[in-house]
Amino acid sequence: GQQLNQSPQSMFIQEGEDVSMNCTSSSIFNTWLWYKQDPGEGPVLLIALYKAGELTSNGRLTAQFGITRKDSFLNISASIPSDVGIYFCAGRNSGGYNKLIFGAGTRLAVHP
Amino acid sequence: EADIYQTPRYLVIGTGKKITLECSQTMGHDKMYWYQQDPGMELHLIHYSYGVNSTEKGDLSSESTVSRIRTEHFPLTLESARPSHTSQYLCASSDTGQVLKGYTFGSGTRLTVV
């Protein structure tokens, strides 16, 4: 079936550093979404992208929908300890009955 | 604030017991999903439903079963729990009319079978 390749698998950074993660697919997607999962909780939607080339920000987070519609990236600027968690990308194509395909996640640890 | 609720949050149960994990949403979403997730690992879709009386198996084979008798309720049942069922179970929902909003997830049930 369809797969998303999310990288890196994990990151360990210093507080204040910028972070970048991305997802790629062999298939075209109509929607890209980025979720964050805090330890012991369910994932929460951070940013949704609906158009190729779209760049969207949410506070210190910026995400882009790749122009080829096969990739997306998420940047976090000036990281803080509460950014710790797992970040999942998710994509949806037109034939998916609203079903999302999730990446394997990027585990972020922030050292104070 | 999420309007999808999972109970219990934590459950420790003996091998061979029958258990039901509850999931309810108050958003009127037509679609609901169950994911299994080992700590810090990927999300694996085990069941989904497109509406009342509709259930499908997901990408990961699971010994659990689900039912969807009411729009707002999507319980997951294990007839005979085993230690291999130890995991976190996440319920989610989405609305066909709001495709662009993605899924709303519950807080999960952390199941331990001893």
Side-chain angles (χ1 to χ4, degrees):
Chain A
Q2 291 179 310
Q3 281 190 319
L4 291 182
N5 297 309
Q6 186 171 352
S7 65
Q9 185 177 18
S10 59
M11 302 181 74
F12 187 83
I13 62 170
Q14 291 289 125
E15 183 177 359
E17 288 184 6
D18 296 343
V19 172
S20 184
M21 59 192 79
N22 69 83
C23 267
T24 60
S25 171
S26 56
S27 303
I28 289 174
F29 285 104
N30 292 333
T31 308
W32 283 96
L33 304 107
W34 286 91
Y35 286 82
K36 183 197 177 195
Q37 184 179 28
D38 289 328
E41 296 293 332
V44 173
L45 182 65
L46 297 173
I47 292 180
L49 302 156
Y50 312 126
K51 214 160 51 168
E54 179 182 358
L55 186 72
T56 298
S57 293
N58 178 5
R60 294 178 296 105
L61 277 60
T62 302
Q64 183 157 30
F65 191 142
I67 198 73
T68 64
R69 294 166 64 194
K70 294 183 177 181
D71 62 335
S72 177
F73 72 75
L74 175 71
N75 286 343
I76 306 172
S77 62
S79 59
I80 59 178
S82 62
D83 290 335
V84 163
I86 306 176
Y87 292 80
F88 291 101
C89 64
R92 179 193 293 116
N93 61 26
S94 59
Y97 287 95
N98 198 29
K99 211 159 107 191
L100 292 178
I101 311 296
F102 283 88
T106 294
R107 289 131 198 89
L108 180 64
V110 180
H111 188 70
Chain B
E1 188 168 331
D3 295 303
I4 181 164
Y5 306 99
Q6 290 186 243
T7 57
R9 282 297 307 271
Y10 303 93
L11 179 62
V12 181
I13 200 161
T15 298
K17 298 291 187 184
K18 177 179 178 179
I19 57 170
T20 296
L21 308 185
E22 301 289 346
C23 177
S24 294
Q25 50 96 5
T26 59
M27 298 171 283
H29 286 176
D30 54 341
K31 296 184 173 66
M32 296 188 74
Y33 313 84
W34 276 103
Y35 284 85
Q36 184 174 342
Q37 182 188 31
D38 290 333
M41 300 301 286
E42 302 171 54
L43 301 167
H44 293 287
L45 180 67
I46 53 174
H47 297 283
Y48 60 99
S49 167
Y50 290 149
V52 171
N53 294 325
S54 148
T55 60
E56 302 284 346
K57 289 192 180 297
D59 306 319
L60 180 69
S61 174
S62 174
E63 294 168 342
S64 59
T65 59
V66 292
S67 63
R68 188 93 182 274
I69 299 171
R70 303 196 317 264
T71 298
E72 63 272 20
H73 195 214
F74 192 39
L76 180 145
T77 298
L78 276 166
E79 290 292 332
S80 179
R82 294 208 303 266
S84 61
H85 296 140
T86 295
S87 190
Q88 172 159 261
Y89 293 84
L90 289 162
C91 181
S93 70
S94 66
D95 185 6
T96 300
Q98 299 183 38
V99 168
L100 302 181
K101 292 199 173 181
Y103 296 178
T104 301
F105 282 87
S107 296
T109 293
R110 180 73 59 89
L111 173 66
T112 303
V113 184
V114 297

